[in-house]
Amino acid sequence: MTGTMPTVDAIRHNEPMSKHTTWRVGGPADVYYSPRCRDELLEFVRTLDADTPVYWIGLGSNLLVRDGGIRGVVIATGQALNGLRNLGGGVVEAEAGVPCTVVARQCSRWHLGPAEFFAGIPGTVGGALRMNAGAFGGETWERVTEVDVADRHGNVRTRDRGAFEVGYRDVRGPVEEWFLAARFQFNEHYEAAADRIRTLVSERQARQPLGLPSCGSVFRNPPGDHAARLIEAAGLKGAREGGAEVSPKHANFIINTGGATAADIETLIERVRATVRQVHGVALQLEVKIVGEPAGDPG
Ligand SMILES: Cc1cc2nc3c(=O)[nH]c(=O)nc-3n(C[C@H](O)[C@H](O)[C@H](O)COP(=O)(O)OP(=O)(O)OC[C@H]3O[C@@H](n4cnc5c(N)ncnc54)[C@H](O)[C@@H]3O)c2cc1C
């Protein structure tokens, strides 16, 4: 074993994904790997068979993992890849595991921005890059100049933003590559960020059910409208399936009221989608990612 090989602690078998998702649901991952650093991660990836399914996650804040869990390997960058550096000239390099909230606060201290919108996003930079996460008019990819990616052979490349198709809460790029880090070009001498962060966080607290397990917005907003408005107008606030409930506070949030299964949440998602289609004629598109196998399905 070399110094960069994973320790037993870093690799867990049959790890319940409910421990690693903000909805607090999800069956076991066959293998769950939480690397300590980039070199160890790359070494680990090189040991995987070509046909082993690999799924990278950050903080699981946009994930519905089904009750039967995930076959293959889950790689969770949230505990590692934590480097955040000011490279000068307004350029910030953030590794994939850095929480978005840390990017917002540190950029504010460095007088760089705009990065305040990151403050309310409870995920990592890696997840934000995959989702083009955004809020209050700001979006992740607006300031990305280039990213470092790894493929399943453990090769690392730097790609500029032209290699990616960046859309609303969706980013497409070369297949079987995952984000290790990104470089952002921010404005220098940027002021008033700290005040704005406070305002944005309290606006969220007023509008969203933040103390309860959720995944934020379940559906993307359709062009020119808001998913929450459509769901509320369809009379679905407070609708329930088992332990899952359409939040009475924000209709585009589904909360786990305690004891919900992933199946409860998925059933409620489908009910909301069908009702909104029936009432408004609008086909809502999912923002959250649904992964894994249903309970009892051997895969
Ligand atoms: C209370 C609450 C509020 C929220 N508010 C917002 C908001 O205002 N705006 C917003 O956009 N989102 C919001 N979200 C959703 C979520 O926080 C974002 O989508 C976030 O970017 C997901 O990051 P994550 O690290 O948790 O990713 P995960 O949920 O772990 O993964 C999300 C996707 O990213 C992929 N991924 C993760 N890491 C990598 C990587 N290193 N390389 C390649 N792919 C990767 C995963 O495979 C998956 O497809 C909210 C969620 C909650 C719970």
Side-chain angles (χ1 to χ4, degrees), residues 213-271:
S214 82
C215 247
S217 294
V218 173
F219 298 100
R220 303 178 201 185
N221 288 324
D225 211 335
H226 286 95
R229 190 196 72 76
L230 294 167
I231 297 166
E232 184 171 353
L236 287 161
K237 265 192 170 176
R240 289 183 76 117
E241 289 287 342
E245 180 183 46
V246 175
S247 166
K249 194 165 179 185
H250 189 305
N252 200 15
F253 279 50
I254 289 179
I255 51 181
N256 177 355
T257 61
T261 60
D264 291 339
I265 294 172
E266 197 170 356
T267 305
L268 190 52
I269 287 173
E270 287 314 321
R271 191 170 134 203

Side-chain angles (χ1 to χ4, degrees), residues 164-224:
F164 297 88
E165 231 177 275
V166 177
Y168 165 53
R169 301 293 173 271
D170 195 37
V171 174
R172 303 286 161 93
V175 289
E176 297 252 284
E177 284 188 357
W178 296 273
F179 299 110
L180 294 172
R183 282 171 283 284
F184 298 84
Q185 175 68 61
F186 290 118
N187 298 338
E188 294 182 90
H189 315 296
Y190 189 83
E191 295 304 334
D195 282 354
R196 181 139 168 81
I197 288 173
R198 272 191 292 277
T199 309
L200 296 185
V201 168
S202 62
E203 273 182 38
R204 264 174 195 278
Q205 271 157 356
R207 285 202 244 150
Q208 302 177 353
L210 293 187
L212 300 165
S214 82
C215 247
S217 294
V218 173
F219 298 100
R220 303 178 201 185
N221 288 324

Side-chain angles (χ1 to χ4, degrees), residues 127-138:
L129 288 167
R130 171 66 185 83
M131 298 305 304
N132 193 20
F136 297 105

Side-chain angles (χ1 to χ4, degrees), residues 5 14 30 58 80 89 111 128 145 167-168 199 215-216 229 255 273-274 287:
M5 279 304 281
N14 288 319
D30 288 346
H111 301 286
T145 54
Y168 165 53
T199 309
C215 247
R229 190 196 72 76
I255 51 181
R273 215 204 300 247
E287 178 170 326

